[in-house]
Amino acid sequence: MLNLSQTQKQTLRISPSQIQLLNFLQLSTIELEEHIKTELEENPMLEEATVGEDTDADDFDRDDKDALSASSADYLDWDEYDDDTPNYKTQLNNYSSDDDFYSAPIIQQTSWRDDLKEQLHVLALNERQQLLGDFIIDSLDEHGFLKYDAEALADDVSFTNNIFVDVPDVEEVIAIIRNLEPIGIGTSNLQECLLIQLDKKREEGQDVDLAYDVVQNNLDDLAVRNYEKIMRSREICSEKLKNAINLITSLHAKPISEENTSSILIKDNIIPDYLVFYEDNKIEVSLNSNQIPPLRVNNSFNDLIQGTPDKAAANYIHTKVSAANWLIDAIQQRETTMLKTMKTLIKIQEEFFKTGHVQKLKPMTLKDVAEIIKMDISTVSRVTSGKYAQTPFGTIHLKDLFSGGIFTDSGIEVSNREIQQTLAGLISEEDKSAPLNDFQLADMLAQKGYPIARRTVAKYRDHLGIQSAQLRRVL
């Protein structure tokens, strides 16, 4: 028997356009600029508007635009937008395209591998040695160390180039590469890298015997700052050991590093999404959207869509017009949401934005901001994630404004960023010959009114990139 039944249930469904709009919020300024360029290339109904021109397509396919807007109108976040004219429409009147809010990117000119090959190719080597040298240089890791032994390299070269290569041939070329610049290139580990640099200094006439002996026999003890054991084993005083350590620390721990490479590396420049500035003693904020053009729907297809008998062409035009309208609306809603969120952040962290001092940060969570602007927590997360703000005291990551807090002995809630800065200050003022351990630091923080446990001190210290007391010790 077949039975029919009817049930009623309430579910929450998010339309594809709403999901797309949420993902649109997460785009950074650079990503948005690239997205708009792609849309302009792919959508013939979308075009750049001239300065001061109204970008709304009120006289073209308004039904499509209203239907598109209605699909997202029931989403809670979009009910809270104010009616102020968004910066999207007036940005070109406020900013010039010549305004630079960030430095130009650094262009890569040459890599250190290419530099090594150039040094190698000017030597009087035969074709076989040149081939081996290029292969070995390509086998170096990112720090310039050679992690493969001569036998493994000989097998790899023989298999790759269909020639027979003997181990002594590889060892000979490795020795040649180790004489290239920078010093230590082609060594297999830290110890070899330091020893070859000390050999170079000995050839220059420096006294490196004690430093060489320490690196060769007591490198592990030196790494854990076990100075007493080194002095006993070498039968030396602390002053001699200190001089040897000063010489060792002047060497490069890696053949390839920022300190000793002449290569120009590509660095990702941070493009701020927000611009925070002072005007008439007030903190103002705007979006860094001077490179984003105003958009409008191309009206030249207005007659075509009404007169064409081709349904496929009409559907195509309707689809592209809807996509263009959606993009224009999405950009406006993105700007409104971002400005609303950033103004709330500035209001909560007003003292921080006035001074730039991390100690002025108040405990703040995504939920706190979401409750004020009456939006979902996920929306606030998307607006702040991966976003940066340029301020008079530098460029900051918005996620750094969010932090937990604890109550001091006086009953005042302070941010853990303030505690971390206090911790860093205590460590910077400590006696380096007898650094403070985590228990001592916890006691000192408690005396300053920050009652936190030792494990919390260790967590904050690791977050700040500060080593343990034993590894901070110096003679």
Side-chain angles (χ1 to χ4, degrees):
M1 298 274 306
L2 296 176
N3 295 324
L4 296 177
S5 62
Q6 186 176 10
T7 59
Q8 183 178 1
K9 63 180 180 179
Q10 185 177 11
T11 59
L12 178 63
R13 298 196 175 201
I14 301 178
S15 66
S17 62
Q18 291 171 345
I19 296 175
Q20 192 176 5
L21 195 55
L22 289 175
N23 294 333
F24 200 76
L25 284 174
Q26 202 160 358
L27 295 179
S28 65
T29 300
I30 294 297
E31 291 171 337
L32 176 61
E33 185 179 346
E34 292 298 323
H35 183 81
I36 291 176
K37 288 180 180 179
T38 302
E39 288 294 324
L40 286 170
E41 293 174 357
E42 297 179 353
N43 192 345
M45 305 300 155
L46 189 67
E47 64 180 6
E48 294 187 26
T50 57
V51 178
E53 183 179 357
D54 189 3
T55 58
D56 286 336
D58 292 330
D59 57 344
F60 187 78
D61 213 349
R62 175 53 89 180
D63 292 338
D64 284 349
K65 185 172 181 181
D66 290 341
L68 190 67
S69 300
S71 66
S72 59
D74 56 343
Y75 186 63
L76 177 63
D77 288 3
W78 313 132
D79 290 335
E80 304 301 327
Y81 294 136
D82 51 41
D83 294 327
D84 293 337
T85 301
N87 186 48
Y88 170 76
K89 290 188 176 183
T90 59
Q91 61 187 341
L92 294 180
N93 294 328
N94 291 335
Y95 305 113
S96 167
S97 60
D98 295 331
D99 289 341
D100 289 328
F101 297 102
Y102 47 86
S103 59
I106 301 175
I107 302 174
Q108 184 177 16
Q109 292 184 344
T110 181
S111 69
W112 57 268
R113 294 183 195 274
D114 292 336
D115 183 54
L116 285 173
K117 290 178 181 180
E118 288 182 7
Q119 295 181 55
L120 187 69
H121 292 171
V122 299
L123 301 178
L125 304 178
N126 57 43
E127 184 177 350
R128 185 185 185 86
Q129 290 175 320
Q130 294 282 5
L131 175 65
L132 287 176
D134 289 344
F135 189 91
I136 293 171
I137 291 174
D138 290 332
S139 300
L140 302 176
D141 67 11
E142 67 272 17
H143 302 301
F145 288 116
L146 183 61
K147 299 297 185 180
Y148 306 98
D149 58 25
E151 184 176 358
L153 288 170
D155 291 339
D156 289 344
V157 174
S158 300
F159 178 78
T160 304
N161 296 277
N162 197 24
I163 59 174
F164 177 75
V165 177
D166 204 356
V167 173
D169 296 334
V170 176
E171 292 176 342
E172 181 183 4
V173 177
I174 291 176
I176 294 174
I177 291 176
R178 289 184 178 181
N179 288 322
L180 302 178
E181 294 290 340
I183 301 174
I185 195 72
T187 53
S188 60
N189 52 45
L190 170 63
Q191 187 178 49
E192 282 190 3
C193 181
L194 296 177
L195 291 177
I196 199 171
Q197 291 178 72
L198 290 173
D199 282 333
K200 187 70 174 178
K201 290 185 178 295
R202 179 182 284 123
E203 293 175 3
E204 297 172 353
Q206 296 189 37
D207 182 9
V208 299
D209 291 343
L210 179 57
Y212 195 96
D213 202 15
V214 170
V215 171
Q216 192 170 37
N217 301 290
N218 300 97
L219 189 59
D220 292 337
D221 297 324
L222 183 62
V224 296
R225 309 298 197 270
N226 194 347
Y227 301 129
E228 288 76 13
K229 181 178 179 180
I230 299 175
M231 288 187 288
R232 287 195 305 268
S233 62
R234 306 268 74 82
E235 297 181 353
I236 56 175
C237 63
S238 60
E239 188 64 28
K240 288 187 177 181
L241 179 59
K242 185 176 181 179
N243 293 333
I245 292 176
N246 289 336
L247 177 58
I248 295 171
T249 53
S250 68
L251 307 175
H252 297 295
K254 303 172 184 177
I256 300 299
S257 62
E258 293 182 359
E259 292 81 10
N260 66 349
T261 179
S262 59
S263 301
I264 301 178
L265 304 178
I266 294 178
K267 296 180 182 287
D268 294 330
N269 280 39
I270 295 176
I271 309 300
D273 302 275
Y274 302 90
L275 305 174
V276 180
F277 53 93
Y278 302 122
E279 186 173 315
D280 298 331
N281 295 325
K282 291 178 59 179
I283 303 176
E284 300 291 343
V285 61
S286 65
L287 295 179
N288 181 18
S289 54
N290 59 311
Q291 297 298 325
I292 299 176
L295 304 176
R296 70 172 186 180
V297 176
N298 189 344
N299 291 327
S300 61
F301 292 88
N302 190 16
D303 296 334
L304 178 62
I305 192 175
Q306 295 178 355
T308 179
D310 191 342
K311 291 185 178 181
N315 289 335
Y316 173 80
I317 294 175
H318 275 292
T319 301
K320 292 301 182 180
V321 168
S322 297
N325 282 327
W326 182 90
L327 180 62
I328 293 173
D329 285 345
I331 293 175
Q332 293 174 348
Q333 292 179 357
R334 175 182 179 273
E335 289 189 350
T336 306
T337 306
M338 290 178 66
L339 283 174
K340 191 173 186 179
T341 304
M342 190 63 198
K343 288 177 180 178
T344 302
L345 294 178
I346 291 176
K347 185 176 181 181
I348 297 175
Q349 305 290 359
E350 185 175 1
E351 291 300 318
F352 168 74
F353 282 100
K354 285 182 177 179
T355 62
H357 296 153
V358 176
Q359 291 84 352
K360 298 295 183 179
L361 276 176
K362 296 180 180 179
M364 181 179 66
T365 63
L366 293 172
K367 183 179 179 181
D368 297 333
V369 180
E371 289 177 349
I372 294 176
I373 63 177
K374 294 181 174 56
M375 291 185 179
D376 192 80
I377 295 178
S378 63
T379 302
V380 178
S381 177
R382 284 179 170 87
V383 171
T384 56
S385 179
K387 303 293 193 305
Y388 293 83
Q390 180 174 292
T391 68
F393 47 84
T395 302
I396 61 172
H397 189 197
L398 293 190
K399 280 297 183 181
D400 293 339
L401 300 177
F402 295 90
S403 63
I406 67 169
F407 287 94
T408 63
D409 294 337
S410 58
I412 302 174
E413 188 179 14
V414 297
S415 168
N416 54 26
R417 295 288 301 279
E418 177 179 340
I419 302 174
Q420 291 175 16
Q421 291 297 312
T422 305
L423 174 63
L426 292 174
I427 293 176
S428 65
E429 297 172 358
E430 69 184 357
D431 181 4
K432 299 304 179 182
S433 62
L436 301 169
N437 58 41
D438 293 341
F439 288 103
Q440 294 171 318
L441 290 170
D443 291 340
M444 296 178 70
L445 288 172
Q447 295 175 7
K448 291 181 174 292
Y450 306 121
I452 60 176
R454 182 209 61 81
R455 62 179 179 275
T456 306
V457 172
K459 182 179 71 174
Y460 287 170
R461 180 174 49 73
D462 290 340
H463 179 75
L464 294 170
I466 300 176
Q467 296 178 316
S468 63
Q470 183 179 7
L471 298 181
R472 297 198 308 272
R473 183 189 172 200
V474 296
L475 285 175

